[in-house]
Amino acid sequence: MSGTITHDPPPAIGGSRPGAPLIVTEDAGLLDDLLRLCAAAGATPEVHHTVPEPRGGWEAAPLVLVGDDAARRVRGAARRPGVVLVGRDQDDPGVWRRAVGIGADHVLMLPDGEQWLVDRIADVVEGVGRPALTVGVIGGRGGAGASTLACALAVASAREGLRTLLVDADPLGGGLDVALGGETAKGLRWPAFAASHGRVGGGALEEALPELHSLRVLSWDRGDCLAVPPRAVRAVLAAARRGGGVVVVDLPRRVDDGVAEVLAQLDLGLLVVPAELRAVAAAGRVASAVGMVLRDLRVAVRGPYAPGLDDREVARLLGLPLAGDVPGEPALRRPYEAGRPPGAAGRGPLARFCREFWERALVEARTA
């Protein structure tokens, strides 16, 4: 069990920055549990039985975990954000009074609140700031060019110096590492995360993935694994987002439990639709399924255009906002020749579309 007294404060004073949490307790059993949880979050805490002297440690620590046994001993300490009162007796009504007495933001009871606390400590260690702008790309029908556009968007983002992760959420797509010419690159693929649950460290995830064209790629291997449990998908994508920058996800057209986990964490989605009536009809079904989870879905129309159709008419037929006209250039039909990703040269209509898309999307994210 856990509960908030006033608000859920940022993990560090004066901004998000890494640091060591402070533990104040004389309860040996509670201390063992808190040390175990800190270790799970990758943190090495400072431990005291009372408020440390000089009091700079109390005031500077990004997170203070006060054992319920120590509440009376820290009552005279300076009030500050980021104090959590930790206990075990869920039936003790006095714990809330003691929390107010020390200015705690949160009351947490073990063992029920363990995962919340691990997440909070890990936020402190990683110095969490603004999450990554996360964009999903999905084809309105097969062969629409969604994977190609996802790769081009990721390459364009990395070229601008943004931290960029490209996530392949389609196990039947052949692997985006192949699309980027890195099928033999060292690093983990999706099957390695199948057993993940709880929190995945953002920094550890990034370091474990292959680096191709100045971006990190989470793809599928060529093995038999075709699915990852939804809780693992949730944990991995949350870790990818915590580092800031940009995350681009290549989505399959079916929506299963794992894809629903991805959709729930997207900031916006691009539905790539060739400008032909059958493609528009197929895209309408995809949009209906995706729109049940993703609120911000926009259409990117790819030419050439069938008679009577243009990008605005396609968007009108689908009832979706128009993201733009994806240029019909050879890269969209033959994207992976010689391991050269689409848009890699930074020139041409596709690269220009990606650059303009990020300019708009990043401004929207900053002002949201």
Side-chain angles (χ1 to χ4, degrees):
M1 182 191 80
S2 64
T4 301
I5 299 291
T6 53
H7 63 283
D8 207 0
I13 301 173
S16 297
R17 66 180 190 273
L22 172 66
I23 296 175
V24 182
T25 184
E26 285 186 325
D27 184 329
L30 181 62
L31 178 58
D32 285 345
D33 283 338
L34 292 177
L35 291 175
R36 171 176 56 83
L37 297 176
C38 284
T44 302
E46 182 180 346
V47 179
H48 289 268
H49 297 317
T50 186
V51 178
E53 295 289 349
R55 295 193 175 184
W58 170 271
E59 296 168 353
L63 181 66
V64 178
L65 308 177
V66 179
D68 196 22
D69 66 290
R72 290 183 178 86
R73 296 194 297 277
V74 302
R75 286 195 64 169
R79 296 300 175 101
R80 49 148 296 161
V83 176
V84 179
L85 183 64
V86 186
R88 296 183 185 278
D89 186 357
Q90 301 191 25
D91 297 323
D92 178 9
V95 68
W96 299 98
R97 184 176 63 255
R98 293 190 291 276
V100 171
I102 65 172
D105 298 294
H106 211 90
V107 173
L108 182 136
M109 293 296 172
L110 300 180
D112 291 358
E114 285 193 356
Q115 188 57 58
W116 182 93
L117 188 54
V118 169
D119 288 348
R120 184 67 176 277
I121 296 168
D123 282 345
V124 167
V125 174
E126 294 184 21
V128 171
R130 179 184 288 272
L133 174 61
T134 306
V135 176
V137 186
I138 186 169
R141 66 154 169 81
S147 296
T148 300
L149 181 57
C151 288
L153 286 169
V155 168
S157 170
R159 186 186 301 113
E160 295 301 316
L162 293 172
R163 169 196 178 264
T164 305
L165 269 72
L166 175 61
V167 178
D168 184 355
D170 186 359
L172 301 180
L176 291 186
D177 54 350
V178 177
L180 296 175
E183 61 269 26
T184 62
K186 293 182 179 179
L188 298 183
R189 270 67 172 178
W190 266 118
F193 299 98
S196 298
H197 60 87
R199 184 182 179 110
V200 175
L205 171 68
E206 191 166 353
E207 291 176 4
L209 298 179
E211 182 175 5
L212 303 168
H213 306 282
S214 300
L215 58 94
R216 297 285 180 167
V217 183
L218 176 54
S219 187
W220 295 86
D221 62 13
R222 263 47 72 187
D224 296 330
C225 179
L226 297 178
V228 171
R231 67 177 185 178
V233 174
R234 182 190 317 124
V236 169
L237 190 58
R241 298 189 69 213
R242 280 196 299 272
V246 164
V247 175
V248 180
V249 187
D250 180 31
L251 293 160
R253 286 182 294 125
R254 70 186 187 287
V255 180
D256 57 18
D257 290 343
V259 173
E261 291 290 352
V262 176
L263 292 172
Q265 296 196 52
L266 295 181
D267 294 301
L268 66 92
L270 292 179
L271 180 65
V272 184
V273 184
E276 55 188 52
L277 287 176
R278 288 187 64 189
V280 173
R285 297 193 176 195
V286 176
S288 295
V290 171
M292 295 178 66
V293 184
L294 178 61
R295 288 179 296 177
D296 190 353
L297 180 64
R298 311 176 191 182
V299 60
V301 185
R302 179 169 73 82
Y305 290 87
L309 286 181
D310 60 18
D311 53 356
R312 296 183 182 277
E313 178 64 10
V314 171
R316 187 192 69 79
L317 291 171
L318 291 171
L320 295 173
L322 178 63
D325 170 31
V326 181
E329 66 177 50
L332 285 168
R333 295 185 292 274
R334 303 186 302 276
Y336 311 138
E337 294 177 355
R340 185 175 180 80
R347 300 184 300 274
L350 180 59
R352 183 168 59 253
F353 171 89
C354 294
R355 184 169 57 252
E356 292 174 354
F357 169 81
W358 287 125
E359 288 174 355
R360 294 191 303 270
L362 290 168
V363 168
E364 290 175 7
R366 285 193 292 267
T367 57

